[in-house]
Amino acid sequence: MFRKYQYLLALARHHHFGRAAAECHVSQPTLSNAIRLLEDELGVLIVERGQSFRGFTLEGLKVIETARRILQEQETLRQELRRDGVDLPGELRLGVIPTALPAVSHLITPFSARFPHVRISLLSQSSRDIQRGLDEFELDAGITYLDNEPLINVRMQPLYSERYYLLTRRSEALRDLTCLSWAEAANHRLCLLTRDMQNRRIAESAFRMADRVISPEVETNSLMTLYTNVRTGPWSSVVPGQLLTLLPLTPEMVALPLIAPDVTYVVGLVYANRQPPVPLARALATVAVEEHLTAHIARFTSETLGRMGIQDLPNPRGRPSVTL
């Protein structure tokens, strides 16, 4: 039954029998026959069949939801039964918003050192995809914003505060500046993340608070593209401080903290608020606390930006520092 549920969930991911079979390392007839047997056992039609995959019936959608829960509970039980207090088995499925990818190694490096037999699957996802992945048992945990568009039915563990900078090319007009207002940043030719990214929605909100409406010339879902477009093109971009710790500035580039308004948001670890919690997710949160990652990431960020001559402003008034 577990195997049939696995086949069914693969079909739900791909909406294609051939690709689902390939993921499960079985032939297409094997996968199709297994789902037919599942239909016979449950006494309902799960898949709307035709010349190709046409979708799931309403009963089929209910079976899929149950299958996700059963397989997650099976994995949770397996981890609980096999844990010995030192190591855990299995695969940790972690969804990470793109702006947090430069910081994720601060968490998974000590986690991997403690639990060397755990495979880690990192997926770059939007905050909305992370919510869906947790709800549908496709993710064990996520790293996302905690206080802008909060996720629901999750446990949270803060990791760091995200501050924003205008990344642009050096010019005479910017020579003596140590920071820049959002209103002034709006006068630049902008390359920003796409609107499905929460970072973009945060930037637009800050511009509105500065009484500015922006119309970026270039949009992308890639942080690397933001950086390269500023480095080699005529554009400027709003970027998080974590990106600047990963990609060094060339002599022709400058990063100025954005103020008026002062904007920061907390980024942290989230996992589903279920009983019992997924052991791997709970272990990841424990590592974050015991390794004092909030202090570690804050110190690393400040020191790295300082070496590049980028001013790291203190936390704005009214925005408490993130502590574990």
Side-chain angles (χ1 to χ4, degrees), residues 4 18 47 62 64 79 92 96 98 107 127 134 141 146-147 167 185 189-190 199 214 234 243 274 276 278-279 281 294:
K4 292 169 188 172
V47 179
K62 293 180 181 179
I64 289 171
Q79 293 175 15
L92 173 68
V96 185
L107 176 60
S127 56
L134 294 174
L146 302 186
D147 56 350
L167 182 63
R189 300 175 63 183
L190 293 174
N199 177 269
I214 57 168
L243 177 67
R274 302 189 184 102
V278 176
T294 294

mmCIF file of all heavy atoms in Angstrom, residues 4 18 47 62 64 79 92 96 98 107 127 134 141 146-147 167 185 189-190 199 214 234 243 274 276 278-279 281 294:
data_model
loop_
_atom_site.group_PDB
_atom_site.id
_atom_site.type_symbol
_atom_site.label_atom_id
_atom_site.label_comp_id
_atom_site.label_asym_id
_atom_site.label_seq_id
_atom_site.Cartn_x
_atom_site.Cartn_y
_atom_site.Cartn_z
ATOM 1 N N LYS A 4 2.112 1.895 -3.458
ATOM 2 C CA LYS A 4 1.070 2.443 -4.328
ATOM 3 C C LYS A 4 0.863 3.934 -4.044
ATOM 4 O O LYS A 4 0.660 4.734 -4.975
ATOM 5 C CB LYS A 4 -0.236 1.676 -4.128
ATOM 6 C CG LYS A 4 -0.176 0.229 -4.616
ATOM 7 C CD LYS A 4 -1.398 -0.549 -4.142
ATOM 8 C CE LYS A 4 -1.238 -2.041 -4.458
ATOM 9 N NZ LYS A 4 -2.306 -2.855 -3.849
ATOM 10 N N GLY A 18 4.458 8.633 -17.606
ATOM 11 C CA GLY A 18 5.827 8.266 -17.944
ATOM 12 C C GLY A 18 6.842 8.900 -17.022
ATOM 13 O O GLY A 18 7.766 8.225 -16.535
ATOM 14 N N VAL A 47 -8.084 8.446 -10.930
ATOM 15 C CA VAL A 47 -7.539 9.162 -12.081
ATOM 16 C C VAL A 47 -8.572 9.220 -13.190
ATOM 17 O O VAL A 47 -9.216 8.206 -13.505
ATOM 18 C CB VAL A 47 -6.251 8.479 -12.599
ATOM 19 C CG1 VAL A 47 -5.702 9.207 -13.824
ATOM 20 C CG2 VAL A 47 -5.205 8.423 -11.481
ATOM 21 N N LYS A 62 -8.842 13.507 -2.563
ATOM 22 C CA LYS A 62 -8.900 13.139 -1.143
ATOM 23 C C LYS A 62 -7.907 12.014 -0.833
ATOM 24 O O LYS A 62 -7.263 12.008 0.212
ATOM 25 C CB LYS A 62 -10.317 12.715 -0.772
ATOM 26 C CG LYS A 62 -11.338 13.843 -0.827
ATOM 27 C CD LYS A 62 -12.722 13.347 -0.437
ATOM 28 C CE LYS A 62 -13.748 14.466 -0.503
ATOM 29 N NZ LYS A 62 -15.111 13.996 -0.155
ATOM 30 N N ILE A 64 -5.109 11.463 -2.444
ATOM 31 C CA ILE A 64 -3.775 12.062 -2.499
ATOM 32 C C ILE A 64 -3.448 12.746 -1.176
ATOM 33 O O ILE A 64 -2.345 12.591 -0.637
ATOM 34 C CB ILE A 64 -3.689 13.057 -3.670
ATOM 35 C CG1 ILE A 64 -3.699 12.301 -5.000
ATOM 36 C CG2 ILE A 64 -2.426 13.912 -3.570
ATOM 37 C CD1 ILE A 64 -3.838 13.200 -6.212
ATOM 38 N N GLN A 79 11.839 7.385 11.667
ATOM 39 C CA GLN A 79 12.907 8.157 12.285
ATOM 40 C C GLN A 79 12.874 8.013 13.803
ATOM 41 O O GLN A 79 13.924 7.872 14.445
ATOM 42 C CB GLN A 79 12.787 9.629 11.881
ATOM 43 C CG GLN A 79 13.046 9.891 10.403
ATOM 44 C CD GLN A 79 12.799 11.340 10.021
ATOM 45 O OE1 GLN A 79 12.702 12.211 10.872
ATOM 46 N NE2 GLN A 79 12.680 11.587 8.725
ATOM 47 N N LEU A 92 16.329 14.984 4.697
ATOM 48 C CA LEU A 92 15.756 16.256 5.123
ATOM 49 C C LEU A 92 15.431 17.071 3.879
ATOM 50 O O LEU A 92 16.320 17.435 3.104
ATOM 51 C CB LEU A 92 16.736 17.015 6.004
ATOM 52 C CG LEU A 92 16.322 18.437 6.388
ATOM 53 C CD1 LEU A 92 15.117 18.408 7.317
ATOM 54 C CD2 LEU A 92 17.482 19.185 7.047
ATOM 55 N N VAL A 96 13.901 26.750 0.687
ATOM 56 C CA VAL A 96 14.583 27.978 1.108
ATOM 57 C C VAL A 96 14.234 29.105 0.141
ATOM 58 O O VAL A 96 14.349 28.930 -1.084
ATOM 59 C CB VAL A 96 16.115 27.789 1.150
ATOM 60 C CG1 VAL A 96 16.800 29.040 1.703
ATOM 61 C CG2 VAL A 96 16.493 26.566 1.973
ATOM 62 N N PRO A 98 14.933 32.287 -2.067
ATOM 63 C CA PRO A 98 16.202 32.591 -2.748
ATOM 64 C C PRO A 98 17.111 33.541 -1.981
ATOM 65 O O PRO A 98 18.330 33.359 -1.968
ATOM 66 C CB PRO A 98 15.738 33.209 -4.077
ATOM 67 C CG PRO A 98 14.403 32.589 -4.325
ATOM 68 C CD PRO A 98 13.770 32.452 -2.958
ATOM 69 N N LEU A 107 23.495 26.873 8.726
ATOM 70 C CA LEU A 107 22.627 25.945 9.457
ATOM 71 C C LEU A 107 22.922 24.495 9.114
ATOM 72 O O LEU A 107 23.047 23.650 10.010
ATOM 73 C CB LEU A 107 21.163 26.266 9.160
ATOM 74 C CG LEU A 107 20.105 25.330 9.763
ATOM 75 C CD1 LEU A 107 20.203 25.313 11.280
ATOM 76 C CD2 LEU A 107 18.709 25.761 9.324
ATOM 77 N N SER A 127 8.111 31.830 -0.742
ATOM 78 C CA SER A 127 7.518 31.603 0.575
ATOM 79 C C SER A 127 6.169 30.898 0.447
ATOM 80 O O SER A 127 5.800 30.081 1.295
ATOM 81 C CB SER A 127 7.353 32.939 1.304
ATOM 82 O OG SER A 127 6.593 33.854 0.528
ATOM 83 N N LEU A 134 4.878 22.453 3.087
ATOM 84 C CA LEU A 134 4.672 22.001 4.465
ATOM 85 C C LEU A 134 3.270 21.449 4.653
ATOM 86 O O LEU A 134 3.084 20.414 5.296
ATOM 87 C CB LEU A 134 4.921 23.158 5.435
ATOM 88 C CG LEU A 134 6.352 23.685 5.525
ATOM 89 C CD1 LEU A 134 6.403 24.927 6.410
ATOM 90 C CD2 LEU A 134 7.308 22.626 6.043
ATOM 91 N N ALA A 141 10.892 21.091 6.335
ATOM 92 C CA ALA A 141 11.109 22.397 6.952
ATOM 93 C C ALA A 141 11.363 23.419 5.854
ATOM 94 O O ALA A 141 11.570 23.069 4.686
ATOM 95 C CB ALA A 141 12.289 22.344 7.929
ATOM 96 N N LEU A 146 9.516 35.483 8.546
ATOM 97 C CA LEU A 146 8.634 35.123 9.651
ATOM 98 C C LEU A 146 7.608 36.193 9.974
ATOM 99 O O LEU A 146 6.560 35.878 10.545
ATOM 100 C CB LEU A 146 9.456 34.846 10.922
ATOM 101 C CG LEU A 146 10.511 33.744 10.843
ATOM 102 C CD1 LEU A 146 11.113 33.516 12.226
ATOM 103 C CD2 LEU A 146 9.941 32.452 10.282
ATOM 104 N N ASP A 147 7.881 37.472 9.621
ATOM 105 C CA ASP A 147 7.036 38.542 10.140
ATOM 106 C C ASP A 147 6.507 39.492 9.073
ATOM 107 O O ASP A 147 6.004 40.563 9.408
ATOM 108 C CB ASP A 147 7.788 39.343 11.208
ATOM 109 C CG ASP A 147 9.108 39.917 10.697
ATOM 110 O OD1 ASP A 147 9.539 39.538 9.591
ATOM 111 O OD2 ASP A 147 9.698 40.753 11.403
ATOM 112 N N LEU A 167 22.388 48.185 -4.536
ATOM 113 C CA LEU A 167 23.603 47.737 -5.208
ATOM 114 C C LEU A 167 23.669 48.465 -6.541
ATOM 115 O O LEU A 167 22.759 48.338 -7.370
ATOM 116 C CB LEU A 167 23.578 46.225 -5.411
ATOM 117 C CG LEU A 167 24.794 45.589 -6.068
ATOM 118 C CD1 LEU A 167 26.041 45.774 -5.205
ATOM 119 C CD2 LEU A 167 24.550 44.105 -6.342
ATOM 120 N N ALA A 185 16.638 56.016 -4.108
ATOM 121 C CA ALA A 185 16.890 54.784 -4.856
ATOM 122 C C ALA A 185 15.910 54.629 -6.011
ATOM 123 O O ALA A 185 16.237 54.044 -7.052
ATOM 124 C CB ALA A 185 16.815 53.582 -3.925
ATOM 125 N N ARG A 189 17.772 53.321 -12.418
ATOM 126 C CA ARG A 189 17.234 52.317 -13.341
ATOM 127 C C ARG A 189 17.333 50.970 -12.635
ATOM 128 O O ARG A 189 18.432 50.491 -12.356
ATOM 129 C CB ARG A 189 18.017 52.314 -14.654
ATOM 130 C CG ARG A 189 17.983 53.626 -15.391
ATOM 131 C CD ARG A 189 18.886 53.601 -16.615
ATOM 132 N NE ARG A 189 18.443 52.604 -17.594
ATOM 133 C CZ ARG A 189 19.105 52.333 -18.733
ATOM 134 N NH1 ARG A 189 20.245 52.968 -19.004
ATOM 135 N NH2 ARG A 189 18.632 51.429 -19.568
ATOM 136 N N LEU A 190 16.188 50.371 -12.345
ATOM 137 C CA LEU A 190 16.160 49.244 -11.424
ATOM 138 C C LEU A 190 16.017 47.901 -12.128
ATOM 139 O O LEU A 190 15.276 47.752 -13.097
ATOM 140 C CB LEU A 190 15.006 49.410 -10.430
ATOM 141 C CG LEU A 190 15.140 50.570 -9.451
ATOM 142 C CD1 LEU A 190 13.875 50.710 -8.616
ATOM 143 C CD2 LEU A 190 16.360 50.394 -8.552
ATOM 144 N N ASN A 199 10.573 39.070 -1.429
ATOM 145 C CA ASN A 199 11.557 40.151 -1.363
ATOM 146 C C ASN A 199 11.134 41.322 -2.240
ATOM 147 O O ASN A 199 11.298 42.487 -1.856
ATOM 148 C CB ASN A 199 12.934 39.625 -1.778
ATOM 149 C CG ASN A 199 13.983 40.713 -1.793
ATOM 150 O OD1 ASN A 199 14.202 41.363 -2.808
ATOM 151 N ND2 ASN A 199 14.642 40.908 -0.663
ATOM 152 N N ILE A 214 7.493 52.434 -8.328
ATOM 153 C CA ILE A 214 8.616 52.034 -9.171
ATOM 154 C C ILE A 214 8.133 51.245 -10.384
ATOM 155 O O ILE A 214 7.082 50.618 -10.351
ATOM 156 C CB ILE A 214 9.643 51.192 -8.380
ATOM 157 C CG1 ILE A 214 8.957 49.959 -7.782
ATOM 158 C CG2 ILE A 214 10.324 52.034 -7.324
ATOM 159 C CD1 ILE A 214 9.915 48.944 -7.235
ATOM 160 N N PRO A 234 23.769 48.858 -16.895
ATOM 161 C CA PRO A 234 23.481 50.204 -16.388
ATOM 162 C C PRO A 234 22.484 50.228 -15.241
ATOM 163 O O PRO A 234 22.022 51.300 -14.858
ATOM 164 C CB PRO A 234 22.876 50.886 -17.619
ATOM 165 C CG PRO A 234 22.142 49.786 -18.324
ATOM 166 C CD PRO A 234 22.960 48.537 -18.099
ATOM 167 N N LEU A 243 23.255 38.439 0.354
ATOM 168 C CA LEU A 243 23.829 38.292 -0.981
ATOM 169 C C LEU A 243 25.210 38.927 -1.041
ATOM 170 O O LEU A 243 26.130 38.396 -1.685
ATOM 171 C CB LEU A 243 22.916 38.932 -2.029
ATOM 172 C CG LEU A 243 23.443 38.905 -3.476
ATOM 173 C CD1 LEU A 243 23.499 37.479 -3.999
ATOM 174 C CD2 LEU A 243 22.579 39.769 -4.379
ATOM 175 N N ARG A 274 2.831 19.975 13.986
ATOM 176 C CA ARG A 274 2.108 18.710 14.138
ATOM 177 C C ARG A 274 2.659 17.956 15.338
ATOM 178 O O ARG A 274 3.765 18.201 15.810
ATOM 179 C CB ARG A 274 2.270 17.844 12.882
ATOM 180 C CG ARG A 274 1.784 18.496 11.600
ATOM 181 C CD ARG A 274 1.782 17.506 10.449
ATOM 182 N NE ARG A 274 1.401 18.155 9.195
ATOM 183 C CZ ARG A 274 2.259 18.516 8.256
ATOM 184 N NH1 ARG A 274 3.532 18.255 8.396
ATOM 185 N NH2 ARG A 274 1.838 19.117 7.164
ATOM 186 N N PRO A 276 3.425 13.984 16.532
ATOM 187 C CA PRO A 276 4.704 14.573 16.916
ATOM 188 C C PRO A 276 5.330 15.328 15.749
ATOM 189 O O PRO A 276 5.009 15.045 14.593
ATOM 190 C CB PRO A 276 5.549 13.330 17.276
ATOM 191 C CG PRO A 276 5.017 12.272 16.357
ATOM 192 C CD PRO A 276 3.541 12.541 16.246
ATOM 193 N N VAL A 278 8.146 16.329 12.947
ATOM 194 C CA VAL A 278 9.095 15.517 12.188
ATOM 195 C C VAL A 278 10.449 15.561 12.898
ATOM 196 O O VAL A 278 10.987 16.644 13.149
ATOM 197 C CB VAL A 278 9.222 16.044 10.757
ATOM 198 C CG1 VAL A 278 10.279 15.252 9.991
ATOM 199 C CG2 VAL A 278 7.877 15.968 10.034
ATOM 200 N N PRO A 279 11.020 14.399 13.274
ATOM 201 C CA PRO A 279 12.270 14.404 14.032
ATOM 202 C C PRO A 279 13.398 15.191 13.372
ATOM 203 O O PRO A 279 14.147 15.903 14.055
ATOM 204 C CB PRO A 279 12.614 12.908 14.132
ATOM 205 C CG PRO A 279 11.288 12.225 14.082
ATOM 206 C CD PRO A 279 10.468 13.039 13.129
ATOM 207 N N ALA A 281 13.182 17.779 11.332
ATOM 208 C CA ALA A 281 12.910 19.210 11.451
ATOM 209 C C ALA A 281 13.177 19.695 12.869
ATOM 210 O O ALA A 281 13.766 20.762 13.082
ATOM 211 C CB ALA A 281 11.465 19.498 11.048
ATOM 212 N N THR A 294 21.804 32.738 15.455
ATOM 213 C CA THR A 294 21.440 34.150 15.290
ATOM 214 C C THR A 294 22.639 35.051 15.525
ATOM 215 O O THR A 294 22.941 35.942 14.724
ATOM 216 C CB THR A 294 20.293 34.533 16.236
ATOM 217 O OG1 THR A 294 19.121 33.821 15.859
ATOM 218 C CG2 THR A 294 20.001 36.016 16.167
#
